[in-house]
Amino acid sequence: MSRDFRFGIGLHSAALMPKVQDAARRAEDRGFDVLHVPDHLGAPAPFPVLTAAAAATSTLHLGTFVLNAGFYRPALLARDAAALRDLSGDRLELGLGAGYVRKEFEAAELPFPTARERVDHLEHTTTYLAEHVPGMRMLIAGNGDRLLTVAARHADIIGLTGGDRAAEGDDDPLAERIAFVRAAAGERFDELELNIAITAMPLDDSGRPDLTIPRRFLPGLSDDQLLRHPGVLSGTPQDMADRLREYRDRYGISYVIVQAPHEDAFAKVITQLR
């Protein structure tokens, strides 16, 4: 049986309390299920911003997409996560990643571990949280084998990037990643919620998305390839809704996150799906 769709939206600027709370209330009113804050130096601090959003809403869930696990010691993160969970009435969905921006580690005066060490620390963090903050929903996002193995074993929600290339013929990177997760998760796969982050979609009636974000993260792909990437939506609201239904029917993906500039345009897609 297909899961019901859930929709998340990212919040990337939070200068003043009224703006944060207005954004949260607007997202809740427009049918979004989760408000996300990323974790980058130079961007708003996730936990204070989400606490402010929680105070202005009643049903909206609060998410981190995603915390850089390497910035945190597990016991301190468990304390902060438990506080937000309790203050929000159990609406926290804690998103975690291994971290990948060397300059941010350097700016934080932290050593930049190897990829293996970062994933090992992520796994240690998730197991600690599961023991000390039991019952809290966790999302782990990424694309590599070791990270997706950790996600398959420990997460409730798995954030998929869509792969590092567009589908070509029988080559379907997203399907391959999901098959990998299925094998790693074993019997618990059916309990997992699969998520994808949309990085580009049309913001006007042209039907053509702004590819600025996917160009930055997938510089080796042409614009034509990017337009076929699972993280990019094109066409009318009905076209985009149809594609998301295909994602659910074909891949089992039912949880979709969009970026703050997409809010107005994606609200029209939500109405097609509910």
Side-chain angles (χ1 to χ4, degrees):
M1 181 179 295
S2 296
R3 289 176 178 264
D4 291 339
F5 278 112
R6 293 204 307 148
F7 306 107
I9 186 165
L11 179 66
H12 295 267
S13 62
L16 299 171
M17 173 83 81
K19 290 187 176 180
V20 171
Q21 296 194 323
D22 285 348
R25 283 189 287 262
R26 188 171 61 248
E28 187 175 59
D29 290 344
R30 287 185 156 183
F32 287 95
D33 300 284
V34 190
L35 181 74
H36 288 278
V37 175
D39 185 24
H40 293 290
L41 292 182
F47 285 115
V49 172
L50 292 172
T51 301
T57 57
S58 58
T59 62
L60 188 71
H61 282 212
L62 301 314
T64 52
F65 195 85
V66 287
L67 291 184
N68 177 351
F71 282 176
Y72 301 90
R73 303 267 58 85
L76 300 179
L77 178 57
R79 178 193 63 181
D80 290 354
L84 178 52
R85 177 200 60 187
D86 295 343
L87 288 169
S88 67
D90 199 22
R91 287 185 280 150
L92 175 62
E93 298 182 8
L94 190 70
L96 297 166
Y100 63 94
V101 184
R102 176 187 288 271
K103 289 183 178 179
E104 292 193 0
F105 280 85
E106 293 171 349
E109 300 183 11
L110 294 170
F112 185 62
T114 66
R116 176 174 288 275
E117 289 169 337
R118 297 197 304 276
V119 174
D120 286 346
H121 180 70
L122 171 64
E123 182 164 31
H124 171 55
T125 300
T126 58
T127 55
Y128 186 97
L129 289 167
E131 179 180 354
H132 291 86
V133 195
M136 183 178 62
R137 284 174 63 77
M138 283 190 284
L139 176 152
I140 295 178
N143 192 59
D145 286 0
R146 294 193 69 244
L147 189 145
L148 287 178
T149 298
V150 172
R153 291 173 178 170
H154 302 289
D156 304 289
I157 309 163
I158 297 187
L160 300 155
T161 67
D164 56 5
R165 58 197 188 277
E168 300 280 356
D170 294 333
D171 178 27
D172 187 337
L174 179 56
E176 186 277 327
R177 291 289 77 192
I178 293 172
F180 181 91
V181 168
R182 179 185 292 274
E187 293 182 356
R188 74 185 302 264
F189 180 79
D190 289 340
E191 302 171 8
L192 299 176
E193 184 177 34
L194 301 183
N195 158 269
I196 192 165
I198 300 301
T199 57
M201 63 174 291
L203 302 181
D204 54 29
D205 294 333
S206 70
R208 191 167 182 87
D210 176 0
L211 296 176
T212 301
I213 296 176
R215 282 189 190 119
R216 186 165 75 244
F217 288 102
L218 297 167
L221 300 188
S222 68
D223 283 2
D224 285 344
Q225 289 172 318
L226 288 174
L227 289 171
R228 298 196 307 275
H229 190 272
V232 175
L233 298 178
S234 303
T236 66
Q238 183 64 62
D239 293 334
M240 291 184 277
D242 288 343
R243 191 170 186 193
L244 293 179
R245 288 190 187 96
E246 181 184 354
Y247 287 1
R248 187 172 64 176
D249 294 344
R250 182 173 181 180
Y251 302 113
I253 294 171
S254 58
Y255 180 16
V256 182
I257 293 174
V258 299
Q259 312 306 308
H262 303 155
E263 179 183 347
D264 291 343
F266 196 73
K268 298 176 184 177
V269 180
I270 292 176
T271 63
Q272 300 284 335
L273 294 169
R274 287 190 167 148

